[in-house]
Amino acid sequence: MRAGRNADFLVLLVLTVLGTLFTTGLSFTNTPVQRFDGWYNNPMNPDWGGVGRPLERNITPHYQDETFRPSGWNRPNARRISNELFGESKTRFSGQENSRNLTALFAFFGQIVQREILHTDDVTCPVEILETRVPAGDPDFDPEETGEKTMPYERLAYDTSSGQSPNNPRRQVNRASSYIDGSFLYGTSTVRAEYLRERGTGKLACWDKWGKFPRYNSVQLPYNALAVRHNTLEQLWRLGDENVFENPPVLALSLMFYRYHNLFATEVMREHGQLTSDRVFEMARRRVIGVTQKLVVYDWLPKLIGKDLPPYTGYKPWVKSDVTDIFDAGAINYIMTLIPSAINQVDMKCQAREHKEYKAQRLCNTYWKAMDMVYAHRDGAVEILRGLAVQMAEEDDTFVVEDLRSKFYGPLYHSNHDLVLLTIMKGRDYGLPDYNTVRETMGLPRVESFEEINPWLNKTNPELMAKFSGVHKHNLSLIDMFVGGMMETTPDGPGELFTQILYDQFLRIRDGDRFWFENEEIGLYSPEEIATIKSVTLADILVNVTDITKDQIQKDVFTAAPDPPCGMRAKFNETDLEACPAHEGYDFFQGSEIPYIIIWTCLGLLPLFCILAAYVLAKCKKWRHKRHLNKLKVEKEKRRILRRTISCSVSVHDAMEWRGKEVAGRSIELHLTTKGTLEVFTTTGSHIRSIKISSMQAVDVKISSNKKRTTMVFIIPREYDLVVVFPNEPLRNEFENILCDFATGHNVGVNVIALKLQDLLDAATTKEKRNQMLEKFFKTVFSEAFHMDYDPSLDSGQLDMKKHSQEILEIELSKEEFAEAMAVKANSDFVEHFFSLIDSDRNGYISFREFLNAVVLFSKGSIQEKLQTMFYMYDIDGTGYMSKKQIGQMFRSLLEMAQGDMSQENVDMLVSSLCTQSGLAPKDRYSFEDFCQLLSPQMDKLSDSSFDWKGLTKVVPSVPKAKKNPNGDSDIRHRASTTSLVENGNGPRVVRNFEAVREQYTPLKARVKLVKHFIENYRTHIFFLILFYGICWGLFAERFYYYTVEQEHAGFRKLMSYGISMTRGAAASMSFTFSFLLLTMCRNTITYLRSTPLNQFIPFDSHISFHKIVAWTALFFSAVHIIGYSFNFYHLVTQPTRFLCIFKSLVFRNEYPFTFQEWLFCTMTGFTGVLLVLVLCIIYVFATQTARRHIFNLFWLTHKLFIILYVLTIIHGASVVVQKPLFFAYFTGPAIWFMADKLISLSRKKTELCIIKAQNLPSDVTMIEFKRPPRFEYKSGQWVRIACLNQGKDEYHPFTLTSAPHEDTLKLHIRALGPWTWNLRCNFEDENMKDPKAYPKLYLDGPYGAGQQDWYQYDVSVLVGAGIGVTPYASILKDFVHMSSINMRYKVKCQKLYFIWITGSQRHFEWLIDILREVEEIDTQCMVSIDIFITQFFQNFDLRTSLLYVFEEHFQKLNSGKSVFTGLKATTHFGRPQLNKIMEAVHRAHPQVRCLVLLLFYRF
C-alpha cells in the first residue's frame, strides 16, 4: 500500500504531460489525435465510448426493487447450475478437440479482446457481497457436507449517480474504452502511456538491449492487486493492461504487440529521421491499433460467430459504440468454453516442453505467475505462442474446464472460485432479465420449451437437457441470460442469441469509431497503409517480432493445421496435468495477534509509564534535596552531640518509641538526669515527657522474651506507659543495667518482668488507649457537672459497668494532660498556677473529684467564686493579698496564651491605670475585695463567663448562645474605623446558661439544602457547563448519527461497525474541546472582558477551573477515540484490501492487508496517533496536582508540548482517510486569538525588571518591591505572573499585587510554600542581601483580572480574608483610602469598605499589620472598618478572654485606641467570626444598596 504519490512529483508529471500534449498538438495540426481514454472520438458526443462510461443498456433492467437489488432472487443456485450444466460428465470432459479446429491461441486471444474493450472488474465501494450457498457435498468447496459453506460474489462498480430510484436504476461502469484502440497495450490514460514510453524515441521503454521485454515498474504503476501475490510491484513490467499478468498466454500476446510497436517505430525512425519522438510514437501506435482492429473484427470475430460483418461503409457518428451489459455479462464470456486447462509450449526445435513430469503447464497453476513462466526459458513468450498455435481449443459446448469453473482464482479469503458462477452472478448484479426477455429484446423469438432452446443438444445429450430443466424447475422464466445463451451452443459455435449480441456489439464498435483504420475521411491512414493492415495476420506479427520463421508456423494461427509445420497438434486432458491448488481461506489477522496485544497493552500502560517517570523524576529531585538536607543533618547531629554533652544527663540512649499498632513510631532519646528523672526527647531536642523515677516507690519494667528481645515497657502509674524498642538486645540490656543502677542510687527498686512480645504490647497502656479512657473520664465529669445523661457502660466494648466506672474514678490527670485539655502549653505560667490550685493534695496529679469541683465552679459558680479562684491562683504565698507585680503576672500569662507581646513597662502602666481608675492607687497590696473593686467596671462582662475546654471538643457540649446587644447595630454607619461589625463588639459575649443546642435535620433535608445552596451560588457556572457539554455531546451525536445513518452507503459502519461512529463523534468533540482550551488561557482577553458588562453574566474568574474541566473533557473524548480505534484497527486488519476502498486517500497495491503494526507505524495517521497518545499522557500526567507540587518545572516544560500536540493533530487529519479534516474549523479562530493574546504577554515578558527592595518577613513571607514597567496599568486586586531568572526564565508563577495602582513601584508578598517560593526566599537571606545589585532579575507577565478587582463597582464591599488570602486586599485597602484622601471617590461607586481579617495569630502575617497601620493613618474619614479575629484562642465566653477584653480596653484608652495585640485601632476579637450575623449587621446598616462580599481563604 502506498498512501498517494509525492505531491511535487505529480505536479511535475502533470506539467510534463500537458507539455507533451501541447507539443503534439502543434506537431501535426492537420491530423486528429486519438486519445488514450476514448473520449472525443465522437465530436458530437465526446463521452461516447470513453473510459468511465456506464455500460450501454439496450434492455430494461429487472432489479428486484427496480433500483439496485440484484435480479434473479428466485432463480436457481448459481453453483448448482455450474456443477450440473457446465461441469464434467461422461460425455463432456477436458481435452476434446474443437470441431471447428480452433486453436488455444484463438481462445486466449479472446481474452485480449475482452481486456481491450472491457474493464468491469472493479467492485463497489463499499464492497457489496452476494453470498451463494454451496450445495452440500460439493467436492471442491464443501467436502465435509456441512451445507453451510458459501461462495462470495463482490458486486461490481457502478455509476454513483445511478441506483437512486426506479427512474434511475443502477448502471455499472466500464473503465476501459469501448473502442479497439490498443488500450491493452498503452493503457487508458495519458499518464500511464507516458510512463510506458522511452524518452527521446517513439518506442515503448525496455530494459534489455534486445528490446524484448518492457522496463520494470520502478514507478509503481498500478496493477490488479492479485498481480502482486507472487511478485512485488517493482518486479513487474510496465504494460498498459492492469490484468495482463493474469495468465501466461495473455502476457505473451501483450509482449508480441509490445515488440511490434517498437519494430514499427524503429522503421519509422529509420525512414523519417526528422520526425519528433512524439510523432514516431503516434505513428507506431496508429499502426498497432489498426492491426488490432483488423485482427479482432476481420480475423477473430468471424471465426467465433461463424459469419463476417458487412463491408465497411464509413464512419457513422450516430452509432453508439458503448459496450452493452448483456455483452459483458453474457456473450463475450462464451470464450470460456474454448479455453483449455493446459498451456502448451514448443521450443525452437519444435519439441513440446514438458513441465516437471507432466506434459504441459496447467492454467490454474499459472494464475498471476505469468512472468515466472515467461522467464523460465530463454524465450518463454515465443514458446508459449508457438505451442498455443498448435494446441487445440476446447470443444464448443457447455463444458468449462475445472481451471475456470472450480479452480479459478479468487480473493485471498476465498482462494478458488468459479468463473461460471461469477458470470451468472454478474448478470444478476446487472439486473438482467431472464433469457427469453433478452431474446425478445434482441429481435429473436421467445422459446416455449427447454427442448426448443437447443434441439441438437436435446437430441445428443438428453440427460443434460433434463438436468437443465430440472434445475430451473421446468420454468423458462428462471433461466439466466448467460445460462440460456450457453445452452444454445452447438459444435458450430455459439447459438443465435450470443451470435446476435456479438455481431451487434462489434458492428457498432466498428461503425461508431471515428479512428477506425478503414475510415479514409479522417486521414489517419493512407490507402496503402489500409491495404497493408488488411494483409497483416497474427502469424506475420509473430514472425516479425520473434525468431519464428514463416515455415515454422501456419498462416492462420487461429485455426489448427492438419499437419503443423512445427510441433504436433496437442490436446490435454486434466488427468495428464498437475493438480490445481486446493481451496483455502486466509487469516487476515495472522501476524498481528501478538503485536496487537503488546501494542495496545503498552498504550494502556503508557499513562502508568509516565506516572512512573514522573515519580522517578520527583524522587531524583527529592534525592538532590535530601542530599542537601543530609549536609544540614550532619551539622544538626553535631549540635545534638554537643547538646547531649553539655546537658545534665547522666546517661543518654537512642531508641524508637512504639505508640500503637496503627500509629507510626518515632525516634527518641532517653535521658537519665541528675534530678532523678527519665526525660524523653525527640532527636531534634523537643521535650516529650518526664518520668520522675526518684519519686516512685518502685520502677516496674516489662521486657520481651522473644522476637529479637529488643522491646521494653515502663509501667507509669496514672499515665500512659512508655514502650521503647532498641536497635538490638545488647543495647537494651545495657540500658536495663544502667536503669537498675540509676534507680538503686535513688533508693528505688526495679521490678523486671519478661513476657512474650505480643502479650507485652497488648498489656501496654499506650497514649491512644489512655486518651480513650480520658475521653470517658471527661464525659463522666461533664455529665455530673451539667446533669447530662451519660452512662459509660453504654460505650462500645464495655461489658463490666461496675469495673469500668471504678477505673474512671481512679484516673488522675497529669499536668501535661490537663494543659492539653485546656489547649495550652504545659509550661505556661497560667497552667502552673491553675494546676497547683486544683491539685489540693499536691501529689502532682488531679483526681476525678478535684477536676469535677473545678468544672462545677467555673460553670455554675458565682462571679465572686470565679474571681476568687483567679485570685488564689496568683496569690502564691497564700497571704490573702496580691501585689501589683502579681496582678501584672496574671495579665502577662493571659497575653502569653494569646501570643501577645507587651513590654514589662506597658504591663505596669496598665495595672497602675486600673488601680487609679478604681481608687486603689495608694495601696501596695490588694485583698480579694480590692481585686473585685479593680474589676468592678467590667463586672457585667465577667458575670456569665466560664472556661472554654478547647481541647475537649468531643465531650463538651456546644458553645452557648450569646446575649443579644440591646442597643442593636443601628449606629453602624456612624462608627469610626476602630469600631467592629460584630455585635457586642465592646466586650465579650454573655452566656446565660451552658446547654447543648442541636438543630434537627434529616439527612434528606440536609442534602436538599446543600444542593439548593450550591445551585444558587454557582448558577452561572452550571449554565455554562450545561452549554459547554451540550455543544460537546451535540457534536458527538451529530457525527455519530452522520456515520451511522447518513453515511450508511459509504460503508464505514459496515466495515468497522459502530466503532467508526464512536471515533468520529469523539474526534469532533476533541476538535472542539482542544481548540476551546486555547480560549480559556487567553488571560489578557479575559482580563479585558472582566471590565465589560459581560462579566455580570459570564464567570470569567473561574477560567482556570473551566480550563481544567475542558482539559479533562478533552481527555475523556480522546480516550473514547483511542478505545474506538482499538476496535477499528482490528476490523481493518481482518478485512481484504479491496474492502478498504472506502478510504479514498489510500491506494493499496496488493490484496495482502496491512498488519496492525503497519497500520499503526507505517501510515501518517497511525504514527501521528501514537505520538499524540504519548504527548497527551505526558502533558496530563505532569499537569496533575501532585506533579505540580513536586516537579513544577517539569509541569511547566511539558505543558509547552501543546504546540507539538496541535501540530500533530493537524498532520493526523491531513491524510483525509475518513473525511476532510474539520479540526481547522474549530482551531483557526481560537488559535489566532490565542497567538494575538500571547504576543501581548510576550511583549511584557521580554523586559527585565530590577528589584529595588526585598525583605524576608515573619511567617515565611517575602516582600519584593521592583520597578513598575512603562505603560503598566492595573487595578487593585489584580495579579501577575513572574519568573525569576536564576530559577528559569520560562517558569512563571502567579501572585497577587499588594501595591496600589497609584504607587510608582510594584510590590508582592510571597509566602514560601513550595520549592520555587522557598528558593526565592533563600535568595533574600541576610547573607545574600548585602549587595542589592546581586538581586536576581524578574520577568513580568500581566496584569490579569480577578473577582476582587470589581470591588469599586458596588456601594459597599465586605472583604473577608483568611491566611494568605488577604494579599489582594492590601492593594484594595490602600487604593480605596488613597482615593478617599485626595477626594477622588467620585471615580468609584464604593462608599464604605469593611475588612474582616481572620488569622490564627497576628504574628502569622505581621507584614499586613504595617499595611493596615498605614491605611488607618490615611483614613481620616473613617471609610474603612477593620475587624481582626484571632482564632487560636478561647471563645468569648471564656473567663480568660473576658479578662483580656478588660486588659485590651484599658490599653486602648492609654494608647490612643491602639490594640495591645496588633498595635492597630481596629477591634480585635478572639475566636471565629459568625459571618451570618456580620452580614445581617451590614444589611441593617445599608439596607438599600448593592453589596459585594468577597471571601478569600487562600491565594497563590
Side-chain angles (χ1 to χ4, degrees), residues 1377 1381 1415-1423:
V1377 173
S1381 63
V1415 169
E1416 288 185 341
E1417 292 174 356
I1418 301 175
D1419 184 22
T1420 58
Q1421 301 181 21
C1422 302
M1423 301 304 301

Side-chain angles (χ1 to χ4, degrees), residues 185-186 193 196-206 258-270 272 275-286 288:
L185 180 62
Y186 303 106
L196 301 179
R197 289 181 54 182
E198 186 175 276
R199 299 296 176 189
T201 68
K203 300 195 297 182
L204 295 173
C206 60
Y258 160 82
R259 296 177 185 179
Y260 184 66
H261 172 96
N262 286 350
L263 175 66
F264 189 79
T266 302
E267 293 178 359
V268 171
M269 287 188 293
R270 184 172 58 249
H272 307 282
L275 295 179
T276 64
S277 61
D278 293 331
R279 176 69 169 166
V280 172
F281 176 82
E282 196 59 37
M283 292 179 67
R285 177 177 174 239
R286 287 209 312 260
V288 172

Side-chain angles (χ1 to χ4, degrees), residues 1337-1352:
K1337 303 295 183 182
L1338 297 179
Y1339 279 158
L1340 179 70
D1341 178 25
Y1344 297 113
Q1348 59 268 15
Q1349 76 176 51
D1350 297 329
W1351 62 271
Y1352 63 90

Side-chain angles (χ1 to χ4, degrees), residues 69-82:
R69 295 189 183 279
S71 61
W73 66 94
N74 57 344
R75 296 174 193 169
N77 181 282
R79 177 62 181 171
R80 182 186 174 193
I81 294 174
S82 174

Side-chain angles (χ1 to χ4, degrees), residues 33 90 157 201 256 384 537 588 631 633 641 673 867 874 1073 1198 1209 1211 1235 1242 1428 1447:
V33 179
K90 294 180 180 180
T201 68
M256 294 307 102
I384 292 171
T537 64
F588 289 93
K631 296 179 181 179
K633 193 173 183 179
I641 295 174
T673 67
L867 291 179
Y874 290 93
T1073 50
T1198 55
T1209 303
I1211 299 175
M1235 286 189 292
L1242 289 175
I1428 302 173
F1447 195 35

Side-chain angles (χ1 to χ4, degrees), residues 463-750:
E463 294 88 356
L464 181 62
M465 291 301 295
K467 288 183 180 179
F468 179 35
S469 177
V471 166
H472 292 86
K473 301 178 181 180
H474 314 291
N475 188 344
L476 292 173
S477 64
L478 299 180
I479 303 176
D480 290 281
M481 183 270 294
F482 170 73
V483 177
M486 289 296 292
M487 292 301 293
E488 292 180 355
T489 304
T490 66
D492 297 329
E496 56 183 351
L497 176 60
F498 280 0
T499 298
Q500 181 64 25
I501 295 174
L502 290 167
Y503 182 88
D504 170 76
Q505 183 65 61
F506 283 102
L507 180 62
R508 288 187 295 105
I509 289 176
R510 186 193 70 175
D511 293 347
D513 187 355
R514 183 163 61 102
F515 297 99
W516 188 258
F517 78 97
E518 295 178 284
N519 184 15
E520 298 181 359
E521 296 179 0
I522 197 172
L524 282 178
Y525 301 91
S526 64
E528 294 79 9
E529 288 179 307
I530 294 175
T532 301
I533 290 173
K534 287 184 176 181
S535 65
V536 174
T537 64
L538 186 57
D540 294 332
I541 296 176
L542 296 178
V543 169
N544 289 330
V545 301
T546 66
D547 296 334
I548 301 175
T549 59
K550 290 184 179 181
D551 58 351
Q552 291 181 330
I553 195 168
Q554 68 267 31
K555 181 66 174 177
D556 183 7
V557 294
F558 290 153
T559 304
D563 186 17
C566 183
M568 300 177 59
R569 290 180 60 163
K571 60 178 181 178
F572 303 93
N573 189 276
E574 292 177 0
T575 58
D576 301 328
L577 304 174
E578 182 182 9
C580 292
H583 172 66
E584 59 184 12
Y586 187 83
D587 183 6
F588 289 93
F589 200 53
Q590 184 179 5
S592 297
E593 305 96 325
I594 302 302
Y596 184 88
I597 296 173
I598 293 176
I599 292 174
W600 281 116
T601 301
C602 291
L603 289 177
L605 295 176
L606 189 57
L608 297 180
F609 294 151
C610 293
I611 293 173
L612 179 61
Y615 175 79
V616 172
L617 292 172
K619 281 293 184 182
C620 291
K621 185 174 182 180
K622 186 177 181 180
W623 175 79
R624 290 193 298 267
H625 180 65
K626 184 179 291 186
R627 187 173 59 177
H628 173 69
L629 292 179
N630 286 337
K631 296 179 181 179
L632 300 178
K633 193 173 183 179
V634 172
E635 297 296 329
K636 185 185 294 184
E637 184 65 20
K638 292 179 180 179
R639 293 193 296 269
R640 176 170 170 258
I641 295 174
L642 179 62
R643 173 175 53 80
R644 293 170 58 167
T645 303
I646 63 176
S647 68
C648 62
S649 302
V650 176
S651 177
V652 181
H653 301 267
D654 294 323
M656 179 71 69
E657 181 184 8
W658 184 84
R659 299 189 291 174
K661 295 180 180 179
E662 299 180 359
V663 182
R666 59 181 173 183
S667 299
I668 60 173
E669 294 178 359
L670 301 175
H671 292 243
L672 295 172
T673 67
T674 56
K675 299 179 180 180
T677 61
L678 173 61
E679 304 292 342
V680 184
F681 293 90
T682 63
T683 55
T684 59
S686 300
H687 185 265
I688 298 177
R689 64 187 300 190
S690 177
I691 303 173
K692 296 180 180 179
I693 295 179
S694 59
S695 62
M696 299 174 65
Q697 295 179 355
V699 178
D700 295 327
V701 177
K702 297 179 181 179
I703 60 174
S704 60
S705 59
N706 62 341
K707 294 184 180 179
K708 298 182 181 180
R709 301 179 180 179
T710 58
T711 306
M712 176 181 289
V713 179
F714 291 86
I715 308 300
I716 305 171
R718 298 187 291 271
E719 296 185 31
Y720 65 91
D721 298 337
L722 176 63
V723 185
V724 293
V725 181
F726 292 89
N728 51 58
E729 185 179 0
L731 291 178
R732 188 195 71 173
N733 295 337
E734 178 186 353
F735 178 75
E736 181 183 348
N737 295 332
I738 295 174
L739 177 64
C740 291
D741 296 340
F742 180 79
T744 304
H746 290 82
N747 300 320
V748 178
V750 178

Side-chain angles (χ1 to χ4, degrees), residues 164-194:
Q164 306 298 322
S165 67
N167 294 328
N168 182 25
R170 178 178 289 192
R171 298 183 65 185
Q172 284 67 30
V173 173
N174 181 16
R175 284 212 305 119
S177 165
S178 296
Y179 303 106
I180 302 175
D181 53 6
S183 58
F184 77 96
L185 180 62
Y186 303 106
T188 57
S189 67
T190 305
V191 173
R192 192 178 185 97
E194 285 295 317

